[in-house]
Amino acid sequence: MAKTLMGNMGCFLLSYLLVLTMLFSANAQFAKKTYLIQMDKSAMPKAFPNHLEWYSSKVKSALSTLPEADGDSEKRIIYTYQNAFHGVAAKLTEGEAKKLETEEGVVAIFPDTKYELHTTRSPTFLGLEPAKAPNMWSEKLAGHDVIVGVLDTGIWPESESFKDVSMGPVPAHWKGACEIGTGFTKSHCNKKVVGARVFYHGYEAAIGRINEQKEFKSARDQDGHGTHTAATVGGSPVLGANLLGYANGTARGMAPGARIAAYKVCWIGGCFSSDIVSAIDKAVADGVNVLSISLGGGVSSYYRDSLSVAAFGAMERGVFVSCSAGNAGPDPASLTNVSPWITTVGASTIDRDFPALVKLGNGKIVSGVSLYKGQSVLSFEKQYPLVYLGSNSSRVDPRSMCLEGTLDPKVVSGKIVVCDRGLSPRVQKGHVVRSAGGVGMILTNTEANREELVADCHLLPAVAIGEKEGKDIKSYVQSSQSATATLAFKGTRLGIRPSPVVAAFSSRGPNFLSLEILKPDLVAPGVNILAAWSEAIGPSGLKVDNRREKFNILSGTSMSCPHVSGIAAFLKSRHPEWSPAAIKSALMTTAYVLDNTKKTLRDASTAKPSSPYDHGSGHIDPIRALDPGLVYDIEPQDYFEFLCTQKLSPTQLRVFSKYSNRSCTHSLVSPGDLNYPAISSIFTQKTATSFSDPVIVHRTVTNVGPPDSNYQVVVSPFEGSSVKVEPETLNFTKTNQKLSYKITFTPRVRQTSPEFGSLVWKDGLHTVRSPIVITWLAPPM
């Protein structure tokens, strides 16, 4: 009887599970997600009066006729694209998307992808202060007004950085809008902030409706990130800018005469590609000259990356696109935004720091950094009990990282707590310590961060220290039953040496999508950067932080990207005829690779010399970039020819070709022949015993210096290869003249790791430098 009952119950449970599985499968079948549908604009039948009606017809033809699909009662199309990208974004089931992909006129379908944000003294450090460059700043940008579109979390328009005092009329070529919304009216735009738009349809389709009690459904910035990046690009000069007294001085953007257009694409739950592409599409139509995009996702093939495709369309329209490289360093091959038509920016330090000290009970003093300033003050003459809740075992202890809910007030109350970095935000750890009754925190780096120090605006007295010193302090705590410490904060210190240093968090090459394209392109200031801030949130970014500051200090490639965007705007104002590729070339070939101690740039993660995989062409030098002598220009067709070398199918190439009816002419023998300012040579062995063939790459330079210019080439030596440049001299007789040369790499001794060097053209006035990377690929197994 019992066996029969159990058997019946087992059958019932099995049947119940099968029904649940079927229901889940059915729901999944009809679950709708957002897809970006790229259309062949030229394929529209004459029967349709406009492209939107044709796009709508195509989407409707793919909708399921089953009642469960609910296709007729819901508006599926959430965006229409018609400038940098052509097509629509629509909510579809997976089956509908597959059906639509086979339709005539559909070029490609991209699933909506979530992107994340990559989260002063820098103008002085870059030589852009008026005292150092009086002629640069005295010439207004009114003659060739430049507009920078910033894709981010919005803008805090009341910031002094966005005042339009003494600015001329809004440029005639500006066609954008100032969209009204929660806490944002047309009056919030002016001659500095010329436009503001919001993009949230993709976000709401994926996450749900925006809660207007928690964030502004308008261009107003709830987060602070967008205000910071916009001010870094083109903020007006503000005297006495500081964060709680730290970094006091004049804050100004890289191009204070430039106009800013804010495109809000990021919300509390992230940034979605359908919104980002719509913003790029609108920005191009609005008339921006530069796009600054401090966000990224993973790396995917060029034709599958909707941001890359939209950036290609923007480049075709003459827009310079700058993107952050990502904060996944120091791991190799951790880059995002690697397309050659995008300028990919890594992060470096500047010569300013915010020192703080830890004084232990054993008399040892440890140096660290902090931006703490508050009512709670620890006496440097008094010692406080010190506690670390981790252990010597290899097993991770959540208490060692001071995660939410892991600290016992009975154990930490009245004490300084040692917390390991990882899993939660650095400032959040301090909040956890304070909530448990701790009086201070020592934040220690782990192997992932090593010795790089990033200052934070903590809620309690806290000091960040490096991995080595952190191990020593933890050892001291664990070996002593009465360990003590105290903390002291030393304000702002300038003239730090060495600087710049490549930030440990800055994402690294190589660019495995195309080894022939060296990425990142260059590095710019991205550590401890002061800029304007949203007054809707405290400087720590935590909800419990009730402080309100007009400026904040942040770190990330999100901060380095707008430096390059602003400087690109600066160059565009002085050279309005330059293409996006010419501007990029000027920035790359004039970048420097020696720090302020005249030694090779160093990597913060190892304290050893960095390589082009870390710093690209080097550190940006805006004054030299104004007069580069020569540029490596690239036309949109040249970029398409590069794609023709990437083993893409005709269908995949159509993603980039349909707007301008491009086709492959096979003008590039190999991807290395793209006229890129950096040079990457790949030796490939067919078998283990064979030797690689010589590699030949070609380059063409355009003279943008004096008409009569004579350049000599200098190439650094390599152990594994000989390098021959033909010709060795370039003699120009007029401005804008183009001359070509070829480089032959002949293998001599196989190397087990890449070799780095440079090729430099010199005329006695200009130094036009290209990094060289030589890589040896192992034969196939």
Side-chain angles (χ1 to χ4, degrees), residues 27-153:
N27 287 335
Q29 181 183 353
F30 297 111
K32 290 184 281 293
K33 296 186 295 184
T34 302
Y35 293 86
L36 287 77
I37 304 152
Q38 187 183 20
M39 301 292 293
D40 179 356
K41 186 180 179 182
S42 64
M44 183 183 78
K46 293 181 180 179
F48 291 93
N50 57 59
H51 283 90
L52 179 57
E53 288 201 26
W54 179 47
Y55 298 159
S56 300
S57 171
K58 282 294 181 184
V59 171
K60 188 175 182 180
S61 70
L63 300 186
S64 172
T65 56
L66 295 175
E68 292 92 334
D70 191 27
D72 295 327
S73 62
E74 184 180 352
K75 185 179 179 182
R76 300 293 195 99
I77 294 177
I78 61 174
Y79 284 121
T80 302
Y81 309 120
Q82 54 189 358
N83 298 289
F85 191 93
H86 291 273
V88 295
K91 291 180 282 186
L92 304 170
T93 66
E94 187 176 341
E96 290 167 348
K98 287 181 178 178
K99 181 180 177 183
L100 188 58
E101 201 165 19
T102 63
E103 287 284 322
E104 185 72 25
V106 175
V107 177
I109 292 185
F110 307 85
D112 208 1
T113 305
K114 185 178 178 181
Y115 285 70
E116 301 291 347
L117 296 165
H118 287 150
T119 157
T120 119
R121 166 102 177 133
S122 46
T124 303
F125 184 65
L126 292 171
L128 286 176
E129 282 295 336
K132 290 189 177 182
N135 294 330
M136 310 302 174
W137 291 118
S138 63
E139 295 181 30
K140 303 293 184 182
L141 303 187
H144 296 287
D145 263 315
V146 178
I147 301 169
V148 182
V150 181
L151 274 64
D152 217 293
T153 63

Side-chain angles (χ1 to χ4, degrees), residues 47 85 135 147 162 191 206 377 442 482 574 765:
F85 191 93
N135 294 330
I147 301 169
F162 306 127
K191 290 179 285 187
V377 179
I442 300 172
S482 57
R574 297 297 298 274
L765 179 63

Side-chain angles (χ1 to χ4, degrees), residues 457-468:
C457 194
H458 291 283
L459 293 171
L460 86 169
V463 176
I465 63 174
E467 181 192 18
K468 182 178 179 299

Side-chain angles (χ1 to χ4, degrees), residues 531-572:
W533 187 245
S534 168
E535 293 183 47
I537 193 166
S540 70
L542 299 177
K543 291 181 180 179
V544 297
D545 188 353
N546 294 318
R547 299 170 295 180
R548 292 297 180 263
E549 295 294 322
K550 295 179 183 297
F551 292 84
N552 202 1
I553 294 172
L554 300 180
S555 298
T557 54
S558 277
M559 283 64 253
S560 55
C561 170
H563 277 82
V564 171
S565 307
I567 293 166
F570 186 37
L571 296 190
K572 185 69 174 177

